[in-house]
Structures are given as structure tokens and as C-alpha cells.
Amino acid sequence: MMVHVEEQSLVVVDKGQIVDKATQMSKEGFRLVQISCLAKDSYEVTYSFDKNYACAHVRVVLPKDNPELPSITGAYFAAFTYENELQDLFGIKVSGLALDFKGKFYKLSVKTPFAPQPQQPAQ
Amino acid sequence: MATRTIVPFGPQHPVLPEPIHLDLVLEDEKVISAIPSIGFIHRGLEKLVEKKDFLEMTYVAERICGICSFIHGQSYCQAIEGVMKIDVPERALYLRTIWGEMSRIHSHLLWLGLFADGFGFESLFMHSWRVREKLLDLIEETTGGRVIFGTAKVGGVRRDMESLTLKRVEDELKIIEKMSHELTDVFKKDSSVKRRTVGKGVLSKEDAITLGAVGPTVRGSGIASDMRKLGYAAYGKISWEPVIETGCDCYARCMVRCRELYQSFDMIYQAMAKIPDGPVDVKVTGNPNGEYFARVEQPRGEVIYYVKGNNTKNLERFRVRTPTFANVPPLVKMLGGCELADVPVIVLTIDPCISCTER
Amino acid sequence: MSQMSIGKVVSRSFLSRPATRLYPFEKRPFYKATRGAVAIDIEKCILCGICQKRCPTAAITVTKATKDWQINRLRCISCGACVDACPKKCLWLENMYSPAVVQKGADDKFHQLDKPGLETTKA
């Protein structure tokens, strides 16, 4: 009776559709809540949006090799922090970033520490 | 066109308790733009789930941040409870509310002090912290820790409060509330405070939404966005409304926090009046399987805890998005066009907590 | 208006005792609930090692062969996980901290004495 579980929607879209989806969300007045990533056999990048306490998640699944993602900073400028994080911690290449720190957003001793281990050397 | 100069601000700066670096592009004394860079204290706590089991992670979550420690622990527990569908006893939910609000009061008093220090009002800073000290004593008396409460637990709370203690806490809180009134009066009415804050660091309502501001930053821009409205813990059972101010400037954000102080006091009194008897925790069996995004309101704003379990003791992924991380883009916006001397004050109004941000 | 209220605070601060303590002479009392150093009643201990397994910082070492229970005070975070886990309830948290040290020393060692005939009951 006391368990508090929020209703949250989740849709999986293609890599190519994410920018359109973000633009559409932005037009509808959604706020970008966060972008997170799960790296196991593939990369699962989850974008969360919120409007009037209703949370909507959009997920993009990327292959393990050479993950690449278009930036949504055109629709949400605030995404630059999250996308730089994806670049620095997971090694996902984000193209078209409005503010690209080129791997210098986090000061790390190990390159892309959250990428799936063991890391394949670049061919 | 005047020549442009780039002035580094941080990572070490007297107003910053923690390292954040800003490159300020100046034209004379005016800030044209600011480029933030973080990551000096990245600890990789999210990676630690691979070594610690999901119940032990509560201790790690509580230590992500020193100021909102209890709420971090609570959010983590709520995320796990969301995945495992654990029914938490009602008394535990009320105790979480009481401790959560005590932690909010302590955070806001700390921030008011730091803010006063930011514009050079040293005696006000000392006074805020003296008031806060009384609250820390109360926290130690009820939880056992002054800063790290250590009472959050998956499936409830680790300690109970006796009704006698509850009464004593209420009496003490009334004294602290009276002392806070003297304090917030100065923030509200003093002309020297107003001259440093009114009209500075403006974040318009539209920008606040598009840049994804959270917490007092977004409420200071006139948007009622407070995750406690989701009704987790006991927030759905007590009456309250989010505090909003429409000034959009540093003064408005300060006022939001001042008014939230009294709101928190009121919430604690309400929760204490309604708290039911009963157990404070349930036994947790099994392993989490599934994923959940828990959203909880911290003193600084909305925090996201994402957990994904694969039916083993260790979680597959644990992700924390802290309020300061979301407030960095709005900060960049606020800094554009301000005076160099106002930068510390504006940076402080988002209540930066960098250790949380980088985890 | 604000001058009035701050004036009251200032004059009260001026007339009352300092908010701080003269530390070595006047010590702050701890509360009953304060979580301090971990203590053990070694004679009641059955050396099961559950505390060692549960300790999130790996501060506790239990050696069954030599009947030793060791704790590294600098690693211990006083979380109380061992206290909750102990089946014999022979661990507890003192309401005071372990004394400050100037360098990292050896672990605090508790040795169970051999007492023929009085041996602690096996669970």
C-alpha cells in the first residue's frame, strides 16, 4: 500500500530519430531532466523529459563498436553537460555539440572509465 | 570594441567550498560569457556498484554529499524499493519526511550563511551558522550523526524516534524557528543585501524551462516545480504548496530558500502530529530485477536516482543526476552580462555542490 | 525594521556567553544515540566473521585460528552495519569517537582468551 512507484513512460527510438524527438518534446514544453547511459553489451542511452510532473523517457540503443550519437543541443542547450559526460566517461562520440569540451569536461586519469571492459584498442 | 580578457574563476576561490572552474570572458568589468568546467573531484562512485552489493550501496549513497546526505540515502532506497516493490511501513515514511525536512533546514541555513559570506556580511554568516549548530545537535540526538545521518535503509529507516523525543524535537525546532525569523528578516529587508542581490543574475521563466533548472533556482523564476508534489514519503499526506517567487533574480532565489525554511518547519510539525505507530522497517529479501528512475526533491533541487538490477546482489547500473549538474547551464546563462564583482554571488545562488555533481 | 531585529541579535550576542567552547577544558557532551567507535565484548564473540563480510569499508578482520578480532579505526565509518549483523549482539557503537592519532598505526586487536570449560557456546 505504501510503495511509491511513479508512472513513467519509456519509448525506444532509432539513433536517427532522437533529434526530431527532442525538438518535438521541446516544442511541447517538456524540460530535459537527464541523459544517462548504461554500457554493457551495447550502449543504452536514456533521455528523460518532464512536464507537469509526468516523466517520459526516450531510449536509444547503440552498438558496442564505435558508438556515435547526434547532439540534441540544438533543441536543448542544457544537454551539453550530459553529452560531454557521455563522451568523457563512456567514449560515445557526440557530433554537433554546441559546447564541445573534447574530452576535457571531466579530469580523469583513465580514459573513458565507464566504457565496457575490457576496452578494445582502436584499430 | 573593447578588448576581451579571459579571467579564470576557481577551482580555488574564497566563496567556493568545492572546486568548479569558470572561464570568464570579460569586456572591461562586464562578463560576456562563462565557460564552466568540472570534474576535479570525480570519484567514480557509480562504478562502485560492481563491487558493493545493493544494500551496502546505501552507505555509499549517503556519502555522495555531506549536506543532503539523508536525502541521498532516502532517494537510493526509494529507487531500490521502486524496483523491488517493497511496502515501506507508514511510520518509516513519516520519519523519512521529518529527517528529510530537518536536513533541508540545515542545508538552507548553511546556504544562507555562505551567501552572506559571499557578499561580505560576515556577522550574518556567523549568526546563520550558530542557528544551524542548534539543529545539528538535534540531528545528532535523533540519528546519531551530525552530518551523515545514517538512518536510511532499504525497506524503512534504521532508527525510531520515541514520542518523548518527538515532543522535545518539536519544542527545540520552535526555538530554532524563532531564531531563523530574526535571520531571514535581514535577508528580506536589509538594504545592503538588496543592493547586492536585486536584479542580479536574472534567469527568465522561459530560460528556466529550456535550460532545465531545478529546485530553488527554477522556483525563483516563478515556476512551481517541486518533486515533493509527487507524493513520495509522507508529502502526499500533509498540506503544503511549493514556494515560488517571481523576481527571477538572486534576491528571489534567496527568498525562496528563506520561505522554504518555514515551510519545512511547518511540514515537520504536521508530520509529527500525524505520525502513526508501528514498525519502522521491513525485511528485504531477494535481489532487484528491473529498472527505475526515482525522483526526489533535495534542498538544491530534483535528484534522479536510476538503478537497474539483473537479479544479482550487484546492480547493473547506478546513476545519480544531482541538482547542481542540472543547474550548471542556467548558471552559464545567468552569468552572461553580469558584473565581475557579482560573479561569486550569482554562483552561490544555485547552491553549488560539486562533490555531488561529479560523484 | 531589519536594523531593529539584527540590533536585537547583536546586542544579545554581545551580552551573552560565547557560542563556542574552551575546548580542552570544556568538552562537548555526546548524546546517547551518537554513533562513535565500534566496541566488542570479545568473550561473547563466536568469531563467525559476519561482521567482516558486512563491513562496507572492509575495516574488520576476524581470524578464527588465532581467535582474533581486529578493526582498522581509520577505515571504520561508524555506520553500524556490523552491529546490525552480529548474531550474538556482542558488538555495539560507543557514543564517543576513537582517539585521534598522528599516524596510521596497526589495527586495534582483540584476542579471545582460551578458557577451558568456559568456552563460549557454539551457535
Side-chain angles (χ1 to χ4, degrees), chain B residues 158-183:
Chain B
R158 292 179 62 194
R159 264 174 205 267
D160 198 357
M161 264 202 254
E162 287 164 26
S163 55
L164 252 157
T165 325
L166 279 174
K167 184 81 197 76
R168 233 186 64 69
V169 169
E170 191 174 349
D171 294 345
E172 282 286 317
L173 282 175
K174 290 217 162 109
I175 299 171
I176 298 170
E177 187 177 2
K178 214 171 130 240
M179 287 170 87
S180 321
H181 269 294
E182 296 167 344
L183 185 78

Side-chain angles (χ1 to χ4, degrees), chain B residues 46-224:
Chain B
E46 292 178 349
K47 196 82 177 157
L48 206 58
V49 277
E50 292 170 11
K51 296 230 176 76
K52 302 269 170 237
D53 80 43
F54 75 98
L55 292 173
E56 274 180 358
M57 272 313 275
T58 318
Y59 303 114
V60 178
E62 276 186 334
R63 282 160 180 80
I64 286 178
C65 175
I67 309 301
C68 19
S69 156
F70 179 75
I71 308 190
H72 267 294
Q74 179 193 356
S75 321
Y76 175 75
C77 294
Q78 273 180 219
I80 294 287
E81 284 153 12
V83 174
M84 299 176 72
K85 309 267 185 300
I86 298 169
D87 283 330
V88 181
E90 204 161 343
R91 189 174 174 86
L93 294 179
Y94 274 89
L95 284 173
R96 279 183 185 180
T97 309
I98 292 169
W99 278 321
E101 289 313 306
M102 275 163 91
S103 136
R104 192 179 315 273
I105 297 170
H106 129 69
S107 168
H108 281 355
L109 283 173
L110 175 125
W111 178 83
L112 286 172
L114 287 179
F115 191 52
D117 185 46
F119 50 71
F121 204 150
E122 291 290 331
S123 54
L124 195 53
F125 158 62
M126 297 282 185
H127 186 60
S128 308
W129 282 41
R130 182 164 59 184
V131 178
R132 174 174 168 261
E133 193 61 30
K134 276 186 102 63
L135 188 74
L136 287 185
D137 283 348
L138 264 190
I139 291 173
E140 182 174 350
E141 194 185 330
T142 54
T143 67
R146 274 163 63 81
V147 173
I148 306 288
F149 288 23
T151 44
K153 172 185 178 182
V154 177
V157 289
R158 292 179 62 194
R159 264 174 205 267
D160 198 357
M161 264 202 254
E162 287 164 26
S163 55
L164 252 157
T165 325
L166 279 174
K167 184 81 197 76
R168 233 186 64 69
V169 169
E170 191 174 349
D171 294 345
E172 282 286 317
L173 282 175
K174 290 217 162 109
I175 299 171
I176 298 170
E177 187 177 2
K178 214 171 130 240
M179 287 170 87
S180 321
H181 269 294
E182 296 167 344
L183 185 78
T184 50
D185 244 23
V186 183
F187 283 99
K188 212 177 271 178
K189 296 170 189 157
D190 194 84
S191 57
S192 60
V193 175
K194 276 189 173 171
R195 273 169 77 176
R196 290 302 303 272
T197 54
V198 175
K200 305 280 196 284
V202 175
L203 180 74
S204 68
K205 200 171 168 173
E206 293 72 39
D207 284 340
I209 297 176
T210 51
L211 294 174
V214 293
T217 313
V218 71
R219 293 196 286 278
S221 294
I223 300 161

Side-chain angles (χ1 to χ4, degrees), chain A residues 10 15 17 28 38 42 46 73 77 83 92 120 123:
Chain A
L10 174 73
K15 185 170 89 179
Q17 294 170 312
E28 284 173 23
L38 165 72
S42 56
T46 313
T73 42
F77 175 69
E83 289 181 344
I92 298 176
Q120 300 292 319
Q123 297 299 307

